[in-house]
Amino acid sequence: MLNLANLKTIVIAIVIGEGSSGGALAIGIGDKVLMLENAVYSVLSPEGFSSIVWKSSQRVQEAAEVMKMTAKDLYKFKVIDEVIKEPEDGGAQKDINMVSEAIKKSILKNVKELKKLKVEELVQKRYEKFRAMGEYKTPEG
């Protein structure tokens, strides 16, 4: 992960299905982290969470809700930078051309924005973004 964090080039990560386990940590290092609307992203599966927290595999659905692993939730918590829309009637597999075009458009937009930064600034912002992830602040600041 340290090598990825120090790359002197733009890093854009896209979660297209299920980003989980140790790979989820690496994905978070991207200058921009994009996610398909129906994808999920977490360092632990709901099954694993349920087994660890409740010592039961019967509460997987509840675990998934508590974990806030949907694109909508992760965008709200600033874990990801953008949600890429999918077809309403069944997800990406229903219209792969539409989703591919949306991904392409998002990549081009983000690359154009990130290219404006100097290399040192790009790497520093990436570091600061990753370090701030999950940071809790009280209402007082």
Side-chain angles (χ1 to χ4, degrees), residues 38-82:
N38 295 312
V40 292
Y41 173 43
S42 175
V43 295
L44 181 65
S45 71
E47 293 82 3
F49 181 97
S50 179
S51 293
I52 292 167
V53 174
W54 296 305
K55 309 287 188 248
S56 167
S57 61
Q58 303 303 311
R59 297 173 71 177
V60 173
Q61 183 63 38
E62 182 181 358
E65 291 169 17
V66 168
M67 293 173 70
K68 305 293 184 201
M69 48 195 292
T70 66
K72 181 180 175 182
D73 288 328
L74 295 171
Y75 181 77
K76 181 175 121 185
F77 293 124
K78 298 182 181 171
V79 172
I80 64 166
D81 301 294
E82 184 178 329

Side-chain angles (χ1 to χ4, degrees), residues 12-133:
I12 297 176
I14 306 172
V15 181
I16 60 170
E18 181 180 344
S20 62
S21 191
L25 293 173
I27 289 169
I29 293 177
D31 297 307
K32 296 289 181 171
V33 179
L34 319 175
M35 189 168 166
L36 290 185
E37 182 177 33
N38 295 312
V40 292
Y41 173 43
S42 175
V43 295
L44 181 65
S45 71
E47 293 82 3
F49 181 97
S50 179
S51 293
I52 292 167
V53 174
W54 296 305
K55 309 287 188 248
S56 167
S57 61
Q58 303 303 311
R59 297 173 71 177
V60 173
Q61 183 63 38
E62 182 181 358
E65 291 169 17
V66 168
M67 293 173 70
K68 305 293 184 201
M69 48 195 292
T70 66
K72 181 180 175 182
D73 288 328
L74 295 171
Y75 181 77
K76 181 175 121 185
F77 293 124
K78 298 182 181 171
V79 172
I80 64 166
D81 301 294
E82 184 178 329
V83 177
I84 300 172
K85 297 291 275 177
E86 294 185 60
E88 292 182 25
D89 62 341
Q93 66 276 11
K94 291 293 183 176
D95 190 347
I96 194 67
N97 291 328
M98 180 276 252
V99 174
S100 298
E101 192 58 37
I103 290 171
K104 177 182 175 182
K105 184 178 175 182
S106 179
I107 291 171
L108 293 173
K109 175 189 73 163
N110 283 289
V111 166
K112 184 177 179 181
E113 176 187 319
L114 293 167
K115 281 177 70 176
K116 295 176 185 176
L117 301 174
K118 292 180 182 173
V119 172
E120 298 78 21
E121 187 179 10
L122 180 72
V123 174
Q124 183 62 33
K125 283 182 169 282
R126 181 184 309 138
Y127 172 79
E128 290 169 2
K129 177 180 178 236
F130 188 73
R131 293 288 300 177
M133 205 178 299

